[in-house]
PDB file of all heavy atoms in Angstrom:
ATOM      1  N   PRO A 300      -2.350  23.245  12.521  1.00  0.00           N
ATOM      2  CA  PRO A 300      -3.775  23.364  12.178  1.00  0.00           C
ATOM      3  C   PRO A 300      -4.060  22.807  10.780  1.00  0.00           C
ATOM      4  O   PRO A 300      -3.161  22.725   9.945  1.00  0.00           O
ATOM      5  CB  PRO A 300      -4.026  24.876  12.216  1.00  0.00           C
ATOM      6  CG  PRO A 300      -2.701  25.521  12.110  1.00  0.00           C
ATOM      7  CD  PRO A 300      -1.684  24.554  12.621  1.00  0.00           C
ATOM      8  N   GLU A 301      -5.326  22.453  10.556  1.00  0.00           N
ATOM      9  CA  GLU A 301      -5.691  21.846   9.269  1.00  0.00           C
ATOM     10  C   GLU A 301      -5.456  22.807   8.112  1.00  0.00           C
ATOM     11  O   GLU A 301      -5.198  22.387   6.998  1.00  0.00           O
ATOM     12  CB  GLU A 301      -7.149  21.370   9.303  1.00  0.00           C
ATOM     13  CG  GLU A 301      -7.303  20.137  10.173  1.00  0.00           C
ATOM     14  CD  GLU A 301      -8.722  19.580  10.248  1.00  0.00           C
ATOM     15  OE1 GLU A 301      -9.653  20.229   9.700  1.00  0.00           O
ATOM     16  OE2 GLU A 301      -8.893  18.506  10.867  1.00  0.00           O
ATOM     17  N   ASN A 302      -5.550  24.102   8.374  1.00  0.00           N
ATOM     18  CA  ASN A 302      -5.352  25.048   7.268  1.00  0.00           C
ATOM     19  C   ASN A 302      -3.886  25.189   6.841  1.00  0.00           C
ATOM     20  O   ASN A 302      -3.570  25.954   5.948  1.00  0.00           O
ATOM     21  CB  ASN A 302      -5.972  26.421   7.578  1.00  0.00           C
ATOM     22  CG  ASN A 302      -5.261  27.136   8.723  1.00  0.00           C
ATOM     23  OD1 ASN A 302      -4.248  26.667   9.236  1.00  0.00           O
ATOM     24  ND2 ASN A 302      -5.801  28.278   9.121  1.00  0.00           N
ATOM     25  N   MET A 303      -3.000  24.425   7.488  1.00  0.00           N
ATOM     26  CA  MET A 303      -1.604  24.404   7.027  1.00  0.00           C
ATOM     27  C   MET A 303      -1.270  23.097   6.308  1.00  0.00           C
ATOM     28  O   MET A 303      -0.107  22.803   6.044  1.00  0.00           O
ATOM     29  CB  MET A 303      -0.656  24.622   8.198  1.00  0.00           C
ATOM     30  CG  MET A 303      -0.751  26.018   8.786  1.00  0.00           C
ATOM     31  SD  MET A 303       0.532  26.342  10.006  1.00  0.00           S
ATOM     32  CE  MET A 303       1.940  26.718   8.979  1.00  0.00           C
ATOM     33  N   LEU A 304      -2.289  22.317   5.998  1.00  0.00           N
ATOM     34  CA  LEU A 304      -2.055  21.040   5.311  1.00  0.00           C
ATOM     35  C   LEU A 304      -2.314  21.157   3.822  1.00  0.00           C
ATOM     36  O   LEU A 304      -3.211  21.874   3.381  1.00  0.00           O
ATOM     37  CB  LEU A 304      -2.991  19.955   5.862  1.00  0.00           C
ATOM     38  CG  LEU A 304      -2.791  19.497   7.300  1.00  0.00           C
ATOM     39  CD1 LEU A 304      -3.803  18.409   7.630  1.00  0.00           C
ATOM     40  CD2 LEU A 304      -1.364  18.987   7.509  1.00  0.00           C
ATOM     41  N   GLY A 305      -1.541  20.424   3.056  1.00  0.00           N
ATOM     42  CA  GLY A 305      -1.832  20.223   1.632  1.00  0.00           C
ATOM     43  C   GLY A 305      -2.347  18.807   1.465  1.00  0.00           C
ATOM     44  O   GLY A 305      -3.408  18.460   1.997  1.00  0.00           O
ATOM     45  N   CYS A 306      -1.585  17.968   0.772  1.00  0.00           N
ATOM     46  CA  CYS A 306      -1.982  16.564   0.581  1.00  0.00           C
ATOM     47  C   CYS A 306      -1.036  15.627   1.308  1.00  0.00           C
ATOM     48  O   CYS A 306      -1.005  14.427   1.032  1.00  0.00           O
ATOM     49  CB  CYS A 306      -1.995  16.208  -0.903  1.00  0.00           C
ATOM     50  SG  CYS A 306      -2.899  17.368  -1.894  1.00  0.00           S
ATOM     51  N   ILE A 307      -0.199  16.173   2.194  1.00  0.00           N
ATOM     52  CA  ILE A 307       0.641  15.349   3.055  1.00  0.00           C
ATOM     53  C   ILE A 307       0.453  15.847   4.487  1.00  0.00           C
ATOM     54  O   ILE A 307       0.055  16.995   4.699  1.00  0.00           O
ATOM     55  CB  ILE A 307       2.145  15.379   2.665  1.00  0.00           C
ATOM     56  CG1 ILE A 307       2.678  16.818   2.505  1.00  0.00           C
ATOM     57  CG2 ILE A 307       2.395  14.603   1.392  1.00  0.00           C
ATOM     58  CD1 ILE A 307       4.173  16.895   2.144  1.00  0.00           C
ATOM     59  N   ALA A 308       0.714  14.964   5.438  1.00  0.00           N
ATOM     60  CA  ALA A 308       0.560  15.364   6.841  1.00  0.00           C
ATOM     61  C   ALA A 308       1.519  14.557   7.700  1.00  0.00           C
ATOM     62  O   ALA A 308       1.677  13.344   7.489  1.00  0.00           O
ATOM     63  CB  ALA A 308      -0.881  15.133   7.302  1.00  0.00           C
ATOM     64  N   ALA A 309       2.148  15.239   8.649  1.00  0.00           N
ATOM     65  CA  ALA A 309       3.045  14.567   9.604  1.00  0.00           C
ATOM     66  C   ALA A 309       2.277  14.332  10.898  1.00  0.00           C
ATOM     67  O   ALA A 309       1.527  15.203  11.362  1.00  0.00           O
ATOM     68  CB  ALA A 309       4.277  15.435   9.870  1.00  0.00           C
ATOM     69  N   ILE A 310       2.453  13.157  11.457  1.00  0.00           N
ATOM     70  CA  ILE A 310       1.735  12.775  12.682  1.00  0.00           C
ATOM     71  C   ILE A 310       2.756  12.171  13.642  1.00  0.00           C
ATOM     72  O   ILE A 310       3.587  11.351  13.222  1.00  0.00           O
ATOM     73  CB  ILE A 310       0.628  11.740  12.350  1.00  0.00           C
ATOM     74  CG1 ILE A 310      -0.388  12.380  11.392  1.00  0.00           C
ATOM     75  CG2 ILE A 310      -0.063  11.224  13.613  1.00  0.00           C
ATOM     76  CD1 ILE A 310      -1.255  11.395  10.661  1.00  0.00           C
ATOM     77  N   PRO A 311       2.714  12.568  14.944  1.00  0.00           N
ATOM     78  CA  PRO A 311       3.712  12.005  15.863  1.00  0.00           C
ATOM     79  C   PRO A 311       3.509  10.502  16.058  1.00  0.00           C
ATOM     80  O   PRO A 311       2.371  10.036  16.161  1.00  0.00           O
ATOM     81  CB  PRO A 311       3.475  12.775  17.169  1.00  0.00           C
ATOM     82  CG  PRO A 311       2.166  13.471  17.023  1.00  0.00           C
ATOM     83  CD  PRO A 311       1.829  13.560  15.577  1.00  0.00           C
ATOM     84  N   LEU A 312       4.605   9.777  16.097  1.00  0.00           N
ATOM     85  CA  LEU A 312       4.519   8.343  16.385  1.00  0.00           C
ATOM     86  C   LEU A 312       4.182   8.155  17.863  1.00  0.00           C
ATOM     87  O   LEU A 312       4.519   9.003  18.697  1.00  0.00           O
ATOM     88  CB  LEU A 312       5.853   7.678  16.064  1.00  0.00           C
ATOM     89  CG  LEU A 312       6.082   7.367  14.583  1.00  0.00           C
ATOM     90  CD1 LEU A 312       7.568   7.179  14.290  1.00  0.00           C
ATOM     91  CD2 LEU A 312       5.288   6.129  14.148  1.00  0.00           C
ATOM     92  N   PRO A 313       3.543   7.045  18.206  1.00  0.00           N
ATOM     93  CA  PRO A 313       3.233   6.784  19.616  1.00  0.00           C
ATOM     94  C   PRO A 313       4.487   6.806  20.492  1.00  0.00           C
ATOM     95  O   PRO A 313       5.609   6.612  20.011  1.00  0.00           O
ATOM     96  CB  PRO A 313       2.615   5.381  19.571  1.00  0.00           C
ATOM     97  CG  PRO A 313       2.084   5.233  18.180  1.00  0.00           C
ATOM     98  CD  PRO A 313       3.001   6.024  17.304  1.00  0.00           C
ATOM     99  N   GLU A 314       4.246   7.021  21.793  1.00  0.00           N
ATOM    100  CA  GLU A 314       5.345   7.250  22.749  1.00  0.00           C
ATOM    101  C   GLU A 314       6.388   6.129  22.734  1.00  0.00           C
ATOM    102  O   GLU A 314       7.581   6.389  22.851  1.00  0.00           O
ATOM    103  CB  GLU A 314       4.730   7.399  24.153  1.00  0.00           C
ATOM    104  CG  GLU A 314       5.329   8.482  25.020  1.00  0.00           C
ATOM    105  CD  GLU A 314       5.730   9.766  24.296  1.00  0.00           C
ATOM    106  OE1 GLU A 314       4.880  10.435  23.651  1.00  0.00           O
ATOM    107  OE2 GLU A 314       6.937  10.090  24.375  1.00  0.00           O
ATOM    108  N   ARG A 315       5.954   4.886  22.513  1.00  0.00           N
ATOM    109  CA  ARG A 315       6.942   3.793  22.578  1.00  0.00           C
ATOM    110  C   ARG A 315       7.985   3.875  21.455  1.00  0.00           C
ATOM    111  O   ARG A 315       9.016   3.222  21.516  1.00  0.00           O
ATOM    112  CB  ARG A 315       6.248   2.429  22.567  1.00  0.00           C
ATOM    113  CG  ARG A 315       5.569   2.072  21.278  1.00  0.00           C
ATOM    114  CD  ARG A 315       4.915   0.699  21.339  1.00  0.00           C
ATOM    115  NE  ARG A 315       4.392   0.304  20.055  1.00  0.00           N
ATOM    116  CZ  ARG A 315       3.292   0.780  19.502  1.00  0.00           C
ATOM    117  NH1 ARG A 315       2.583   1.711  20.146  1.00  0.00           N
ATOM    118  NH2 ARG A 315       2.897   0.367  18.321  1.00  0.00           N
ATOM    119  N   PHE A 316       7.706   4.684  20.407  1.00  0.00           N
ATOM    120  CA  PHE A 316       8.681   4.851  19.324  1.00  0.00           C
ATOM    121  C   PHE A 316       9.653   6.000  19.609  1.00  0.00           C
ATOM    122  O   PHE A 316      10.638   6.177  18.908  1.00  0.00           O
ATOM    123  CB  PHE A 316       7.980   5.184  17.996  1.00  0.00           C
ATOM    124  CG  PHE A 316       7.156   4.057  17.449  1.00  0.00           C
ATOM    125  CD1 PHE A 316       5.805   3.948  17.747  1.00  0.00           C
ATOM    126  CD2 PHE A 316       7.726   3.110  16.599  1.00  0.00           C
ATOM    127  CE1 PHE A 316       5.036   2.927  17.230  1.00  0.00           C
ATOM    128  CE2 PHE A 316       6.965   2.086  16.073  1.00  0.00           C
ATOM    129  CZ  PHE A 316       5.616   1.983  16.386  1.00  0.00           C
ATOM    130  N   GLN A 317       9.332   6.811  20.605  1.00  0.00           N
ATOM    131  CA  GLN A 317      10.136   8.021  20.842  1.00  0.00           C
ATOM    132  C   GLN A 317      11.421   7.668  21.578  1.00  0.00           C
ATOM    133  O   GLN A 317      11.503   6.647  22.252  1.00  0.00           O
ATOM    134  CB  GLN A 317       9.332   9.057  21.636  1.00  0.00           C
ATOM    135  CG  GLN A 317       8.049   9.497  20.956  1.00  0.00           C
ATOM    136  CD  GLN A 317       8.287  10.192  19.602  1.00  0.00           C
ATOM    137  OE1 GLN A 317       9.386  10.671  19.319  1.00  0.00           O
ATOM    138  NE2 GLN A 317       7.243  10.243  18.781  1.00  0.00           N
ATOM    139  N   GLY A 318      12.418   8.522  21.414  1.00  0.00           N
ATOM    140  CA  GLY A 318      13.664   8.343  22.171  1.00  0.00           C
ATOM    141  C   GLY A 318      14.534   7.208  21.652  1.00  0.00           C
ATOM    142  O   GLY A 318      15.554   6.886  22.245  1.00  0.00           O
ATOM    143  N   VAL A 319      14.136   6.592  20.540  1.00  0.00           N
ATOM    144  CA  VAL A 319      14.964   5.515  19.988  1.00  0.00           C
ATOM    145  C   VAL A 319      16.062   6.155  19.135  1.00  0.00           C
ATOM    146  O   VAL A 319      15.755   6.973  18.273  1.00  0.00           O
ATOM    147  CB  VAL A 319      14.106   4.573  19.100  1.00  0.00           C
ATOM    148  CG1 VAL A 319      14.955   3.455  18.507  1.00  0.00           C
ATOM    149  CG2 VAL A 319      12.929   4.028  19.901  1.00  0.00           C
ATOM    150  N   PRO A 320      17.332   5.814  19.398  1.00  0.00           N
ATOM    151  CA  PRO A 320      18.392   6.470  18.619  1.00  0.00           C
ATOM    152  C   PRO A 320      18.335   6.090  17.140  1.00  0.00           C
ATOM    153  O   PRO A 320      17.859   5.014  16.791  1.00  0.00           O
ATOM    154  CB  PRO A 320      19.685   5.964  19.262  1.00  0.00           C
ATOM    155  CG  PRO A 320      19.304   4.806  20.104  1.00  0.00           C
ATOM    156  CD  PRO A 320      17.837   4.874  20.386  1.00  0.00           C
ATOM    157  N   ARG A 321      18.791   6.992  16.308  1.00  0.00           N
ATOM    158  CA  ARG A 321      18.796   6.768  14.865  1.00  0.00           C
ATOM    159  C   ARG A 321      19.762   5.624  14.521  1.00  0.00           C
ATOM    160  O   ARG A 321      20.831   5.519  15.083  1.00  0.00           O
ATOM    161  CB  ARG A 321      19.286   8.051  14.189  1.00  0.00           C
ATOM    162  CG  ARG A 321      19.253   8.035  12.689  1.00  0.00           C
ATOM    163  CD  ARG A 321      19.972   9.261  12.182  1.00  0.00           C
ATOM    164  NE  ARG A 321      19.262  10.484  12.543  1.00  0.00           N
ATOM    165  CZ  ARG A 321      18.296  11.038  11.796  1.00  0.00           C
ATOM    166  NH1 ARG A 321      17.953  10.493  10.671  1.00  0.00           N
ATOM    167  NH2 ARG A 321      17.702  12.142  12.192  1.00  0.00           N
ATOM    168  N   SER A 322      19.338   4.771  13.616  1.00  0.00           N
ATOM    169  CA  SER A 322      20.271   3.752  13.118  1.00  0.00           C
ATOM    170  C   SER A 322      19.932   3.450  11.666  1.00  0.00           C
ATOM    171  O   SER A 322      18.787   3.186  11.331  1.00  0.00           O
ATOM    172  CB  SER A 322      20.206   2.477  13.965  1.00  0.00           C
ATOM    173  OG  SER A 322      18.988   1.820  13.777  1.00  0.00           O
ATOM    174  N   GLY A 323      20.941   3.539  10.823  1.00  0.00           N
ATOM    175  CA  GLY A 323      20.744   3.218   9.410  1.00  0.00           C
ATOM    176  C   GLY A 323      20.175   4.368   8.625  1.00  0.00           C
ATOM    177  O   GLY A 323      19.780   5.402   9.165  1.00  0.00           O
ATOM    178  N   LYS A 324      20.114   4.188   7.303  1.00  0.00           N
ATOM    179  CA  LYS A 324      19.632   5.235   6.402  1.00  0.00           C
ATOM    180  C   LYS A 324      18.120   5.422   6.549  1.00  0.00           C
ATOM    181  O   LYS A 324      17.601   6.530   6.485  1.00  0.00           O
ATOM    182  CB  LYS A 324      20.000   4.830   4.972  1.00  0.00           C
ATOM    183  CG  LYS A 324      19.604   5.792   3.890  1.00  0.00           C
ATOM    184  CD  LYS A 324      20.124   5.308   2.541  1.00  0.00           C
ATOM    185  CE  LYS A 324      19.483   6.056   1.403  1.00  0.00           C
ATOM    186  NZ  LYS A 324      19.854   5.505   0.093  1.00  0.00           N
ATOM    187  N   ILE A 325      17.423   4.317   6.711  1.00  0.00           N
ATOM    188  CA  ILE A 325      15.966   4.362   6.893  1.00  0.00           C
ATOM    189  C   ILE A 325      15.658   3.779   8.266  1.00  0.00           C
ATOM    190  O   ILE A 325      16.255   2.776   8.677  1.00  0.00           O
ATOM    191  CB  ILE A 325      15.259   3.525   5.800  1.00  0.00           C
ATOM    192  CG1 ILE A 325      15.666   4.011   4.402  1.00  0.00           C
ATOM    193  CG2 ILE A 325      13.745   3.563   5.963  1.00  0.00           C
ATOM    194  CD1 ILE A 325      15.078   3.213   3.258  1.00  0.00           C
ATOM    195  N   ASP A 326      14.722   4.406   8.992  1.00  0.00           N
ATOM    196  CA  ASP A 326      14.376   3.928  10.328  1.00  0.00           C
ATOM    197  C   ASP A 326      13.967   2.452  10.276  1.00  0.00           C
ATOM    198  O   ASP A 326      13.159   2.069   9.423  1.00  0.00           O
ATOM    199  CB  ASP A 326      13.197   4.743  10.886  1.00  0.00           C
ATOM    200  CG  ASP A 326      13.687   5.931  11.689  1.00  0.00           C
ATOM    201  OD1 ASP A 326      14.783   5.860  12.264  1.00  0.00           O
ATOM    202  OD2 ASP A 326      12.960   6.946  11.728  1.00  0.00           O
ATOM    203  N   PRO A 327      14.490   1.635  11.199  1.00  0.00           N
ATOM    204  CA  PRO A 327      14.155   0.195  11.173  1.00  0.00           C
ATOM    205  C   PRO A 327      12.640  -0.063  11.252  1.00  0.00           C
ATOM    206  O   PRO A 327      12.139  -0.976  10.612  1.00  0.00           O
ATOM    207  CB  PRO A 327      14.865  -0.360  12.408  1.00  0.00           C
ATOM    208  CG  PRO A 327      15.940   0.622  12.710  1.00  0.00           C
ATOM    209  CD  PRO A 327      15.482   1.955  12.212  1.00  0.00           C
ATOM    210  N   GLU A 328      11.906   0.761  12.032  1.00  0.00           N
ATOM    211  CA  GLU A 328      10.452   0.526  12.135  1.00  0.00           C
ATOM    212  C   GLU A 328       9.744   0.840  10.826  1.00  0.00           C
ATOM    213  O   GLU A 328       8.720   0.242  10.508  1.00  0.00           O
ATOM    214  CB  GLU A 328       9.836   1.369  13.262  1.00  0.00           C
ATOM    215  CG  GLU A 328      10.220   0.911  14.654  1.00  0.00           C
ATOM    216  CD  GLU A 328      11.475   1.605  15.126  1.00  0.00           C
ATOM    217  OE1 GLU A 328      12.151   2.270  14.318  1.00  0.00           O
ATOM    218  OE2 GLU A 328      11.784   1.469  16.328  1.00  0.00           O
ATOM    219  N   GLN A 329      10.266   1.801  10.074  1.00  0.00           N
ATOM    220  CA  GLN A 329       9.695   2.096   8.747  1.00  0.00           C
ATOM    221  C   GLN A 329       9.880   0.876   7.838  1.00  0.00           C
ATOM    222  O   GLN A 329       8.971   0.491   7.092  1.00  0.00           O
ATOM    223  CB  GLN A 329      10.373   3.325   8.130  1.00  0.00           C
ATOM    224  CG  GLN A 329       9.900   3.590   6.697  1.00  0.00           C
ATOM    225  CD  GLN A 329      10.570   4.796   6.051  1.00  0.00           C
ATOM    226  OE1 GLN A 329      11.032   5.694   6.740  1.00  0.00           O
ATOM    227  NE2 GLN A 329      10.600   4.810   4.741  1.00  0.00           N
ATOM    228  N   LEU A 330      11.048   0.263   7.939  1.00  0.00           N
ATOM    229  CA  LEU A 330      11.314  -0.926   7.117  1.00  0.00           C
ATOM    230  C   LEU A 330      10.407  -2.080   7.547  1.00  0.00           C
ATOM    231  O   LEU A 330       9.884  -2.810   6.709  1.00  0.00           O
ATOM    232  CB  LEU A 330      12.791  -1.340   7.239  1.00  0.00           C
ATOM    233  CG  LEU A 330      13.793  -0.311   6.701  1.00  0.00           C
ATOM    234  CD1 LEU A 330      15.221  -0.778   6.941  1.00  0.00           C
ATOM    235  CD2 LEU A 330      13.572  -0.080   5.207  1.00  0.00           C
ATOM    236  N   ARG A 331      10.187  -2.200   8.858  1.00  0.00           N
ATOM    237  CA  ARG A 331       9.296  -3.282   9.344  1.00  0.00           C
ATOM    238  C   ARG A 331       7.865  -3.061   8.872  1.00  0.00           C
ATOM    239  O   ARG A 331       7.156  -4.000   8.533  1.00  0.00           O
ATOM    240  CB  ARG A 331       9.345  -3.334  10.875  1.00  0.00           C
ATOM    241  CG  ARG A 331      10.506  -4.191  11.384  1.00  0.00           C
ATOM    242  CD  ARG A 331      10.447  -4.314  12.895  1.00  0.00           C
ATOM    243  NE  ARG A 331       9.159  -4.821  13.368  1.00  0.00           N
ATOM    244  CZ  ARG A 331       8.598  -4.467  14.536  1.00  0.00           C
ATOM    245  NH1 ARG A 331       9.196  -3.616  15.341  1.00  0.00           N
ATOM    246  NH2 ARG A 331       7.444  -4.973  14.893  1.00  0.00           N
ATOM    247  N   LEU A 332       7.445  -1.797   8.863  1.00  0.00           N
ATOM    248  CA  LEU A 332       6.081  -1.492   8.404  1.00  0.00           C
ATOM    249  C   LEU A 332       5.897  -1.964   6.953  1.00  0.00           C
ATOM    250  O   LEU A 332       4.865  -2.499   6.574  1.00  0.00           O
ATOM    251  CB  LEU A 332       5.848   0.019   8.498  1.00  0.00           C
ATOM    252  CG  LEU A 332       4.414   0.521   8.361  1.00  0.00           C
ATOM    253  CD1 LEU A 332       3.521  -0.013   9.467  1.00  0.00           C
ATOM    254  CD2 LEU A 332       4.382   2.057   8.386  1.00  0.00           C
ATOM    255  N   TYR A 333       6.941  -1.791   6.182  1.00  0.00           N
ATOM    256  CA  TYR A 333       6.880  -2.230   4.785  1.00  0.00           C
ATOM    257  C   TYR A 333       7.002  -3.760   4.698  1.00  0.00           C
ATOM    258  O   TYR A 333       6.208  -4.420   4.025  1.00  0.00           O
ATOM    259  CB  TYR A 333       8.003  -1.563   3.972  1.00  0.00           C
ATOM    260  CG  TYR A 333       7.932  -1.951   2.517  1.00  0.00           C
ATOM    261  CD1 TYR A 333       7.034  -1.333   1.653  1.00  0.00           C
ATOM    262  CD2 TYR A 333       8.735  -2.972   2.008  1.00  0.00           C
ATOM    263  CE1 TYR A 333       6.933  -1.709   0.324  1.00  0.00           C
ATOM    264  CE2 TYR A 333       8.640  -3.356   0.683  1.00  0.00           C
ATOM    265  CZ  TYR A 333       7.738  -2.720  -0.152  1.00  0.00           C
ATOM    266  OH  TYR A 333       7.631  -3.101  -1.463  1.00  0.00           O
ATOM    267  N   ASP A 334       7.977  -4.311   5.406  1.00  0.00           N
ATOM    268  CA  ASP A 334       8.239  -5.756   5.273  1.00  0.00           C
ATOM    269  C   ASP A 334       7.105  -6.597   5.855  1.00  0.00           C
ATOM    270  O   ASP A 334       6.725  -7.615   5.301  1.00  0.00           O
ATOM    271  CB  ASP A 334       9.562  -6.123   5.971  1.00  0.00           C
ATOM    272  CG  ASP A 334      10.763  -5.558   5.223  1.00  0.00           C
ATOM    273  OD1 ASP A 334      10.618  -5.237   4.024  1.00  0.00           O
ATOM    274  OD2 ASP A 334      11.840  -5.432   5.835  1.00  0.00           O
ATOM    275  N   GLU A 335       6.544  -6.155   6.994  1.00  0.00           N
ATOM    276  CA  GLU A 335       5.549  -6.996   7.669  1.00  0.00           C
ATOM    277  C   GLU A 335       4.120  -6.659   7.264  1.00  0.00           C
ATOM    278  O   GLU A 335       3.241  -7.508   7.312  1.00  0.00           O
ATOM    279  CB  GLU A 335       5.692  -6.863   9.202  1.00  0.00           C
ATOM    280  CG  GLU A 335       7.004  -7.432   9.709  1.00  0.00           C
ATOM    281  CD  GLU A 335       7.256  -7.125  11.180  1.00  0.00           C
ATOM    282  OE1 GLU A 335       6.266  -6.933  11.929  1.00  0.00           O
ATOM    283  OE2 GLU A 335       8.445  -7.066  11.571  1.00  0.00           O
ATOM    284  N   PHE A 336       3.875  -5.402   6.872  1.00  0.00           N
ATOM    285  CA  PHE A 336       2.493  -4.999   6.567  1.00  0.00           C
ATOM    286  C   PHE A 336       2.329  -4.497   5.130  1.00  0.00           C
ATOM    287  O   PHE A 336       1.222  -4.172   4.707  1.00  0.00           O
ATOM    288  CB  PHE A 336       2.024  -3.908   7.543  1.00  0.00           C
ATOM    289  CG  PHE A 336       2.038  -4.351   8.983  1.00  0.00           C
ATOM    290  CD1 PHE A 336       3.154  -4.162   9.776  1.00  0.00           C
ATOM    291  CD2 PHE A 336       0.923  -4.987   9.531  1.00  0.00           C
ATOM    292  CE1 PHE A 336       3.170  -4.579  11.099  1.00  0.00           C
ATOM    293  CE2 PHE A 336       0.927  -5.402  10.865  1.00  0.00           C
ATOM    294  CZ  PHE A 336       2.055  -5.201  11.649  1.00  0.00           C
TER     295      PHE A 336
END
Side-chain angles (χ1 to χ4, degrees):
E301 288 181 354
N302 67 5
M303 293 188 80
L304 293 181
C306 310
I307 51 179
I310 298 162
L312 279 160
E314 221 37 59
R315 68 179 186 285
F316 292 92
Q317 301 298 340
V319 179
R321 185 189 294 272
S322 69
K324 181 176 167 186
I325 304 177
D326 268 331
E328 289 90 349
Q329 175 181 336
L330 296 177
R331 274 185 55 212
L332 193 62
Y333 182 80
D334 290 340
E335 294 171 26
F336 300 91

